[in-house]
Amino acid sequence: MKQLSEAQLKENWDKLIQVIKDTFEDGSERRENLLRMYHDLEDRMIMAPASGKEEYHYCHVGGYVEHVLHVVDTALKIQETYESIGGHKDWTDEELIFSALHHDLGKVGDLNDEYYVPQDNDWRRKTLGEVYTSNTDIPNMRVPDRALFLLQHFGVKCNVNETLAIKLADGLYDEANTYYMKVYDASRSLKNHLPNIIHFADHMATLAEFDEWKRGDEDEKEEMESKIENIKSVTVEKDKQNGVPQEHEDPILENKHKDLFDELFGDKS
Ligand SMILES: [Fe+2]
């Protein structure tokens, strides 16, 4: 599983704060309230994962901030592609970035406690890959609803485009969204496509994050297999020299074997 160093956690956090400073007007009420909210939630937000299961996305310490930055970047790219293929952009960059930044805010938890807590059931960790589980001590709310609650608590106003984009970020993966997104009467359909752009960005970023996790896992497995093969080859080489398996006597082979063993399993001394 991916592990971020303390320096990487700090770097991602600084990037996130810089996006806020670059996007929202200096001295505006919205920027000030956002910075206050981020300051108040910093300790939890910087550590939060983006999901609870290994095969989902960015299920590691710092995964939330990494995912949010990824979605902002992806949303800007999708917006550009959308316009280049003839789509009409009837929202602002600020609305797009604001919605991408906060689509998962509810995953940070409520005012007092985190949403994701470590899974302490060993069976569920090993069998189901649940690294985290949802905290049942906080009120049960949908993630977008908690996001909108937190924003209003800190006095951060959302316009209707942003409200719908945050609320509908999961697209039709959330059945509750069919009311807004599966509409066959044009007069009731969404007035612009920002919610779809945010959903596409979230979904696409999530797929890429899954690929990254899977590749990382496969790389780790390949590396382990290659080391095991190295140990076997050393043993076979030694056995060939001696005709039959026996205790290591050649100091070069003996040391090589020990180095590989230590590399694989660590120095236990
Ligand atoms: Fe997300």
Side-chain angles (χ1 to χ4, degrees):
M1 197 167 60
K2 191 171 176 181
Q3 280 187 319
L4 300 179
S5 66
E6 205 174 311
Q8 285 170 317
L9 292 173
K10 172 83 170 62
E11 191 185 326
N12 286 339
W13 179 257
D14 290 345
K15 272 188 207 165
L16 183 64
I17 297 301
Q18 196 57 49
V19 170
I20 291 160
K21 289 180 176 171
D22 291 343
T23 306
F24 304 100
E25 192 188 336
D26 197 6
S28 67
E29 185 188 28
R30 182 137 119 140
R31 178 169 141 151
E32 293 310 309
N33 287 342
L34 275 172
L35 290 174
R36 187 165 60 88
M37 179 182 83
Y38 278 84
H39 178 264
D40 281 14
L41 299 177
E42 177 175 351
D43 289 350
R44 252 190 291 142
M45 199 182 277
I46 206 168
M47 301 296 282
S51 74
K53 285 183 85 167
E54 268 198 74
E55 74 266 30
Y56 289 175
H57 61 299
Y58 282 0
C59 171
H60 53 259
V61 171
Y64 171 83
V65 173
E66 237 190 338
H67 172 66
V68 162
L69 290 169
H70 197 190
V71 175
V72 170
D73 182 49
T74 309
L76 287 165
K77 286 172 177 156
I78 290 179
Q79 168 178 275
E80 203 179 314
T81 303
Y82 186 65
E83 284 190 284
S84 76
I85 59 168
H88 174 54
K89 177 189 164 189
D90 51 1
W91 58 85
T92 65
D93 282 350
E94 181 174 324
E95 287 172 336
L96 177 113
I97 294 171
F98 180 88
S99 307
L101 278 173
H102 302 109
H103 78 283
D104 270 345
L105 181 63
K107 289 183 176 177
V108 170
D110 68 358
L111 298 174
N112 304 308
D113 283 310
E114 61 259 81
Y115 173 59
Y116 286 118
V117 289
Q119 172 59 271
D120 55 11
N121 181 314
D122 216 35
W123 182 86
R124 294 192 74 90
R125 278 182 75 92
K126 285 177 184 161
T127 314
L128 305 176
E130 288 179 4
V131 180
Y132 295 92
T133 187
S134 53
N135 183 358
T136 51
D137 290 338
I138 64 173
N140 183 33
M141 290 173 90
R142 288 179 182 277
V143 167
D145 293 342
R146 192 181 295 108
L148 293 168
F149 161 73
L150 286 172
L151 289 167
Q152 68 77 34
H153 174 84
F154 287 95
V156 180
K157 288 181 185 165
C158 309
N159 67 23
V160 71
N161 285 349
E162 294 158 347
T163 302
L164 286 171
I166 290 171
K167 189 165 178 55
L168 305 177
D170 282 337
L172 288 172
Y173 285 97
D174 185 339
E175 279 184 20
N177 294 344
T178 56
Y179 178 81
Y180 294 95
M181 302 184 94
K182 210 169 180 178
V183 175
Y184 301 104
D185 174 356
S187 65
R188 289 183 56 240
S189 61
L190 293 167
K191 302 298 183 205
N192 71 45
H193 292 138
L194 182 61
N196 288 300
I197 301 293
I198 296 299
H199 169 54
F200 297 154
D202 184 34
H203 191 50
M204 199 176 281
T206 301
L207 292 177
E209 288 162 18
F210 171 82
D211 285 350
E212 188 186 333
W213 168 76
K214 201 174 167 203
R215 271 199 322 274
D217 222 39
E218 279 166 5
D219 288 349
E220 215 171 279
K221 197 175 156 199
E222 275 172 27
E223 200 181 330
M224 176 69 87
E225 280 168 358
S226 147
K227 285 172 181 173
I228 288 170
E229 282 309 310
N230 276 340
I231 285 190
K232 281 182 187 166
S233 71
V234 170
T235 306
V236 168
E237 199 178 334
K238 171 71 183 150
D239 289 348
K240 271 184 191 165
Q241 282 177 13
N242 294 306
V244 287
Q246 53 187 274
E247 291 298 311
H248 292 291
E249 288 161 1
D250 182 326
I252 296 172
L253 285 176
E254 185 79 20
N255 287 338
K256 192 175 173 192
H257 202 157
K258 185 178 180 310
D259 289 348
L260 285 165
F261 187 89
D262 287 346
E263 196 181 338
L264 264 178
F265 303 110
D267 186 359
K268 303 294 182 196
S269 59

